[in-house]
Amino acid sequence: MSTYKVIFTGPVGAGKTTAIASLSDKPPISTNEAASDMTANRKSETTVAMDYGILYLDSGDALHLYGTPGQERFDFMWDILTKGGLGLMLLLDNRRKNPFGDLQFYLDAFSDFIKETGIVIGITGMDIKPQPCREEYCAEVEKHGLNIPVLEVDARNKSDVSTMLEALLFSLNPT
Amino acid sequence: MATKHINIAFIGMGKKSIATFDFFIRKHAEKLCRQVNIKQAEAFIVDYDSSNGQQQWQQTDPEKKIPVILISSQQPEESGWLWVPKPVKGSDLKHAIQDLVRIRDNKQPTHHHALARSQKTGGRAEKPSPQPQDVATDIGKIKTGYNRSFDEEACAGLNLSRDEIVECCGKLDDVDIHDHDQRQSIFHNDKKTLVAPIQAGLRLAKRENKDVEIDLLKTRIILLAGGERIQADLNNRVIRHICAIPLPRRLDTTLIEPPTIEQCHVHKAETVLWQVALWTARGRLPNTLEPEKAVRLMRWPNFTRLQITPHALRIAAAWTQKAMSPLQIAEALEIPQRYVFSVASAADALGLFTDKNSNQHNSYGSWKNSRNLFSSILRSLRNAA
Ligand SMILES: Nc1nc2c(ncn2[C@@H]2O[C@H](COP(=O)(O)OP(=O)(O)O)[C@@H](O)[C@H]2O)c(=O)[nH]1
Ligand SMILES: [Mg+2]
C-alpha cells in the first residue's frame, strides 16, 4: 500500500481545518493519528499539532491530507511536512486585512516546493467579503509568472474543496 | 558522534508550537537533544517574535549565561546568539542544535552564530537528516497506462445527469477536419445566440454604469450597472430552454433606469455567460474560433462557480500550460472533440483565450505519469460527493 499526501496551508482562519474535514473519510484529527503515521516505526506516540485527514482510494492506497501547523504565518517545519507531497493547497482568507501580503508570503515560503510540484489557490470568505475579487488575485499571481488555478472556495463546501484538489491534480498532469 | 544529548526548553511558545518542535526533535534530532522543563535546561529555544518570548527569556536567565537559539522572522539585533530564521527549516534547526551541543562542550560552533537560510552545511561531513520513508516521494515511479474508460469517469461526480451531458455537449462524433462538410458541422453561428447580446449588454452596463435590459419576451434579463452581475430568474432549465431555441432576430439591449424589476435572483455575470455559452454550443465551436488554431487560456476559469462539463478541468489544465488548438487538446488528452469544443465556447465567451504562448516553466514534456493514482483519487472524491 502506498501513501501519498497533499499539503494544506494558509493563514489562521483561512479554512484549513475545515477543508481537510470536508474531504476526509475519517473524522479529522490534529494529533495522534498523524504522529503515528509519520513515525510509523517508532514505539512511543508523539502528539503533533497539525491537521490531518485521510482519503481512502479504491486502489487500496491512501491520500493523506496535512495542514500546516501553527498559530501564525511564521511557522516552522514546513520543509519536513511538504517532503514527498504531491502539491500545495493554499487557502487565503478574503476577510483578512492584507490578503495579497498573505499570498506573497506563502508563495515565497513554499517557492521550492511549488516549483517542484504544483499549487492551487482557494480564496475563502468571499461570501462575507467579496473584495478583492478573484481576478485581482489572478493578476497578483501572474506577477509571479504563474498561471495556476485560483478558485473561489468555501471550505465548508465539500464540492468546492474537491474541485480545488482536482484542479491541483490536473495541473500536475492533465493527460 | 558519542556526544551526550543536550537538554533544551522552549520559551515564548504555545502548546501547539512546542508540540511541533518536540515532534521534530524526536524524529530528527533524537540523539542530539531532549525537551525538558526550564529548570533542567542546558539551553533554550526562544521564539523571539512572540511578545512574551523575550520577556520570559530575560526573567529566566537575566545574565544570559545559558546558550540559546533565537527563532524569528528578522535577524535579531542582539548578536552572539544562534539564530534560525522563520519559517524554520528542519536542517537549519538541526545545525543550530548541533552548535548548541558544541558550545556546551566548549567547542567552536561550526555553523556560525547566524544561520542564513540559504547557507549549506559547512566543511563538516554530516549525514543528511533522515527522511520519512512512509511516503512515496516520486510520483514519477507510479505505473503508467490505464485501461478503464476515462469517459465514464469524467461524467461521474458532475451535477449533470447522462442525458443532461448529452444535451449540453451534444452527440457530435469526432470529425475529419479535412472533410469540408464535416468541418462545417462543428460550428454554430454565435451572432444569432444569446451569447453576443449578453456580452454586448455587459460591456454597455460597464461603460455607462447603468442597468441594461435584454428584451427576451417572457424572460427579463437585467445586466446590472458595472457589468459584473445579472438579475433574472434564470435557473438552469430556463437557460437550457432559451439556448435551445434559435432566436428569431438579434436581440436588443436597452439602457434602463433602476429599479424596474421585482425581486428576483442576482447571478454572477460570468456564471450566466458560461452557462449560456455551453448550452448554446452544445459541443460545437463558435465560428469565431478555429479548430486548428493554437490558443491558450490566460487564466483558469473559476470552476467552483461554473458548470463543469466532462474533462473540463483537464482541458483547462492543459490549455493554461501551453498554446494548443482545440483539435490538439482533444488529441493530447484522448477525449472526444465535443468536450473540448464545449469548454472552448464557454471560455471564449468569457474572453479567456489569447494566442500568445506561455513562458511558464511547466510544459507538456514534464507531465508526470501518475494517471493511475490521480484517477483513483478522483474516483474517491467523486464517489463520495
Ligand atoms: N463564511 C465563511 N466561513 C468560512 C469559509 N471557509 C471557512 N469558513 C469558516 O472559517 C472558520 C475558520 O476555519 P478553520 O478551518 O478553523 O481555519 P484554519 O485556521 O485555517 O484551520 C470556520 O468557522 C469555518 O467554518 C468561507 O468561505 N466562508
Ligand atoms: Mg486550524
Side-chain angles (χ1 to χ4, degrees), chain B residues 145-202:
Chain B
Y146 71 117
N147 49 17
R148 61 178 276 156
S149 159
F150 213 75
D151 211 41
E152 190 73 26
E153 255 168 50
C155 300
L158 300 182
N159 62 348
L160 297 171
S161 68
R162 297 216 137 255
D163 288 348
E164 285 169 333
I165 290 173
V166 173
E167 202 186 324
C168 175
C169 300
K171 288 192 273 198
L172 201 66
D173 280 331
D174 283 4
V175 297
D176 173 4
I177 210 70
H178 304 297
D179 178 306
H180 176 78
D181 289 344
Q182 285 192 41
R183 192 177 195 283
Q184 284 316 106
S185 72
I186 65 172
F187 294 109
H188 68 88
N189 181 351
D190 81 331
K191 288 282 175 290
K192 287 199 185 128
T193 71
L194 198 51
V195 175
I198 293 182
Q199 285 173 326
L202 289 171

Side-chain angles (χ1 to χ4, degrees), chain B residues 263-303:
Chain B
Q263 286 287 317
C264 68
H265 274 103
V266 176
H267 312 264
K268 286 188 140 190
E270 202 181 71
T271 306
V272 173
L273 195 50
W274 178 275
Q275 191 84 332
V276 167
L278 276 182
W279 256 274
T280 303
R282 278 177 287 121
R284 298 165 301 167
L285 281 178
N287 54 7
T288 48
L289 275 181
E290 283 173 51
E292 303 93 341
K293 188 175 170 217
V295 287
R296 189 174 58 83
L297 274 179
M298 286 182 286
R299 284 180 182 173
W300 269 78
N302 186 22
F303 278 119

Side-chain angles (χ1 to χ4, degrees), chain B residues 296-313:
Chain B
R296 189 174 58 83
L297 274 179
M298 286 182 286
R299 284 180 182 173
W300 269 78
N302 186 22
F303 278 119
T304 44
R305 301 291 174 265
L306 300 171
Q307 176 65 56
I308 300 181
T309 47
H311 304 291
L313 271 70

Side-chain angles (χ1 to χ4, degrees), chain B residues 9 14 21 27 39 42 51 84 97 103 109 115 147 151 165 182 186 193 218 220 244 272 296 308 320 347 363-364:
Chain B
F21 273 106
K27 179 97 179 134
K39 289 218 177 82
E42 301 168 88
S51 51
V84 175
I97 295 173
I103 291 169
L115 288 151
N147 49 17
D151 211 41
I165 290 173
Q182 285 192 41
I186 65 172
T193 71
K218 279 190 197 150
R220 291 193 78 189
V272 173
R296 189 174 58 83
I308 300 181
T320 44
S363 74
Y364 215 176

Side-chain angles (χ1 to χ4, degrees), chain A residues 11-18 51 68 70, chain B residues 16:
Chain A
V12 170
K16 302 180 291 294
T17 304
T18 312
D51 292 311
T68 53
Chain B
K16 235 180 167 184

